[in-house]
Structures are given as C-alpha cells and as structure tokens.
Amino acid sequence: MESLDLNLLTALDVLLDEASVTGAARRLGLSTSAMSRTLTRLRLATKDPLLVRAGRHLVPTPYAMNIREHVYTLTRDVQAVLRPQHRDLDLKTLDRTFVLRANEGFLNIAAAPLVTAIMKEAPLVRLRFAPKPDKDVLPLREGRIDLEIGVRGVSAPEIRSRLLFRDTFVGVARIGHSLFVDGDINLARYAACRHVVASRRGILRGPVDDALEQLGYQRNVSVVVPGFPDALEIVRQSDLVTHVPRSCLVNFADDLTRGAKVRLFQLPVKTSAIAIAAMWHPRMDADPAHRWLRDTVEAVCQEFLAY
C-alpha cells in the first residue's frame, strides 16, 4: 500500500476507454510522453501489457477487457469518497440530534435563545445538553459530543475552535457595603473584604488572586460554591463580595438591581479577557448540518452577549 498511487487508477480508466495514449493524454491534460510513462507504470503494476499495438491502433489485452468495468466502477467510487457532492441542506426536513456540552453559566444565558433559533429554522432537530464536569477531549474524539462550548485553551492539537465572545470579570457587592464608602475601590480595601468564590472543582485561587499577588496583596476567601448564581445569592444577603463573568449577569440584571440591592463595580486589578469558544472534532468540519449548528450558536452569542 505504501507504493499505491490512486492516480494510476484514473489513468487506467481513461486509457482503457480511449485505447489511445494520445487520446488519454489529451483528456487528462498531460503530454503524450507523460502518458506513455504512466502506461509503463501500469504495466509494471499489473504485470500485463494492457494495451498492445494492432497495426496503427492499440487494442486491450484479455486482462484489460476483463477489468474494464471494474476499473470504471472503482474510479467513480474513489471520486465519490474523496470528492463528495453535498446536497443542499434542507433545514425544514433535517432530522438529527446534536449533543452540546457547556457549563451551567452558558446554559443560563444562551440555552433558551439558542433553542428558539434552532427550532425556528429546523423544527425536527433535537438538542441534548450534556453536563461538563471537566475538559476531557475524549467525548469529542469519540463522537459522543458534537459541540463543546467553554474557555478556549489547549485541549488537543486536532480540535477545531471558533471564538464566540470575550468575557470579563466584574465585582459584585450589596449596596451599602463598606467597600463603597470612601469613593474609589482600592486594592487594600478590596483584598481585605471577605470573598465568596465560584468554582466547579472547589478551587480557591483564580486569575484575580494571581493579579493581586503580583501587586503584593492576598484576599480572604471565606466561601467556595459550585456556580456563579450561588455566589450572587450569598452576596445579596451578606457582607461578602464576589466576582463573576459579565456574561452571567445578562439574565439577572433586573433582579440584581431591583430587589436584591446589589451593586456592580470594576475590579481594582486587571485580568485577561476570557475567550469563550465553540470546539469540535475535525471529522465534523465539512458536515453541512454541523456547520449550520456552529453558525447558529455564534449568531446567538453575538446577539445576546454583545456588550
């Protein structure tokens, strides 16, 4: 198989059809000498003359006549595999289940508008949102997950990704908190507060801690909860402060500022923006339905997370 050249199959198909080196060369856009060398290679590969001279013409050998139809079929099959002709995607009749993996924060923000957009264009499509306990790439590789949404990072070299939006952290504390008493929030007062941290894996440290440490400060983490909604609920009813991605406030803005009496503030330290991306295995790259899914997810994020 190391020396197999599928181009020889195409050349053999044309040679058997034309029964002429010159005619085959013309059809394949080659010189006559190049076509003659290809015929020599075919004779060596098949251990048969294939085409022999009879007067001024070439005629096929019994072996060539025997394989002609088989070669024709093989050539068309290879072209169908290596050059697939995709039919136009009919979203109204697309009957398919897509499995998406995303964390709770993204589902709270975008699941409802995404479902609405999908159902409007493709009413027969089903969406299954899978839990995201970790960043294991194996489900994508094995085809158990169609699309993953999360922080863009180095997961596996073959995984494709598309940036959906960039997120930033924003601080949250109740109105009347001592943090707001003396005007601008400085590093010392911020670090001295008691903090509640959202971490699915129970980790106390994060980008904010790294930024504080570089400036010689360390904050006091009193509570760790699994998700940002839990952290916001604690902040509503206590003197603890927290920070959350700005995107997770999209659906909670009215609640936060109306009954909860909380206030958003800019963190006194700078952290890198969070790149949220859609990720998929390259086997799905050219699939028309999967491409439509990716485009729809991106459009929903652009509409609802543009701030």
Side-chain angles (χ1 to χ4, degrees):
M1 293 297 291
E2 292 180 359
S3 61
L4 181 63
D5 183 355
L6 289 179
N7 289 313
L8 290 178
L9 186 63
T10 301
L12 178 58
D13 178 48
V14 176
L15 278 166
L16 295 180
D17 187 50
E18 292 283 336
S20 165
V21 171
T22 302
R26 187 183 305 112
R27 278 178 56 179
L28 293 177
L30 300 174
S31 66
T32 302
S33 59
M35 196 73 249
S36 181
R37 290 193 297 270
T38 299
L39 177 56
T40 300
R41 292 179 62 194
L42 283 165
R43 286 167 171 168
L44 290 172
T46 60
K47 305 295 189 299
D48 188 89
L50 297 174
L51 296 171
V52 295
R53 187 160 296 281
R56 300 178 60 182
H57 303 285
L58 295 177
V59 294
T61 65
Y63 174 73
M65 293 178 64
N66 186 50
I67 66 171
R68 182 173 176 176
E69 291 301 321
H70 191 197
V71 170
Y72 176 86
T73 302
L74 279 176
T75 303
R76 271 62 188 172
D77 287 345
V78 169
Q79 290 175 346
V81 170
L82 299 182
R83 297 176 183 174
Q85 299 297 315
H86 293 300
R87 294 177 299 173
D88 291 336
L89 182 63
D90 185 355
L91 294 175
K92 296 301 181 184
T93 60
L94 179 63
D95 187 353
R96 186 160 165 180
T97 298
F98 291 107
V99 182
L100 288 77
R101 185 168 71 169
N103 61 31
E104 182 184 4
F106 180 84
L107 294 181
N108 286 336
I109 307 161
L114 178 59
V115 168
T116 299
I118 294 289
M119 296 300 108
K120 180 179 179 181
E121 292 192 64
L124 300 181
V125 163
R126 296 165 296 279
L127 296 180
R128 183 165 70 85
F129 292 101
K132 187 177 179 179
D134 50 45
K135 297 183 179 180
D136 185 11
V137 75
L138 193 59
L140 281 174
R141 284 176 168 166
E142 293 181 345
R144 291 184 281 123
I145 299 294
D146 292 298
L147 194 66
E148 174 156 356
I149 299 167
V151 178
R152 174 187 274 176
V154 180
S155 55
E158 79 272 22
I159 296 302
R160 303 280 196 268
S161 70
R162 178 190 295 184
L163 180 67
L164 297 176
F165 62 96
R166 295 189 184 276
D167 216 341
T168 55
F169 286 119
V170 60
V172 185
R174 68 172 181 82
I175 293 177
H177 195 286
S178 59
L179 190 62
F180 304 122
V181 172
D182 297 324
D184 292 341
I185 299 171
N186 60 39
L187 281 168
R189 292 212 321 277
Y190 174 75
C193 292
R194 299 173 66 188
H195 295 255
V196 52
V197 172
S199 171
R200 188 177 61 251
R201 293 178 292 170
I203 299 174
L204 275 67
R205 286 185 61 88
V208 170
D209 299 280
D210 296 335
L212 284 170
E213 190 173 72
Q214 290 180 4
L215 298 172
Y217 290 91
Q218 183 177 353
R219 63 177 179 160
N220 177 20
V221 177
S222 300
V223 180
V224 180
V225 292
F228 294 114
D230 306 309
L232 291 172
E233 187 61 34
I234 291 174
V235 167
R236 292 171 190 248
Q237 305 180 48
S238 71
D239 282 334
L240 275 70
V241 300
T242 192
H243 66 273
V244 299
R246 185 176 293 274
S247 64
C248 84
L249 300 174
V250 170
N251 290 342
F252 298 101
D254 291 340
D255 292 339
L256 286 172
T257 56
R258 186 173 56 240
K261 303 297 182 182
V262 297
R263 177 176 167 183
L264 310 181
F265 63 90
Q266 182 177 343
L267 295 177
V269 291
K270 291 184 178 180
T271 58
S272 299
I274 311 165
I276 305 299
M279 292 159 278
W280 66 95
H281 193 274
R283 76 161 65 87
M284 308 305 296
D285 216 27
D287 180 70
H290 196 278
R291 188 184 302 118
W292 164 76
L293 173 68
R294 302 192 302 262
D295 291 343
T296 304
V297 170
E298 182 180 22
V300 167
C301 289
Q302 292 298 316
E303 179 178 356
F304 289 90
L305 298 172
Y307 48 76

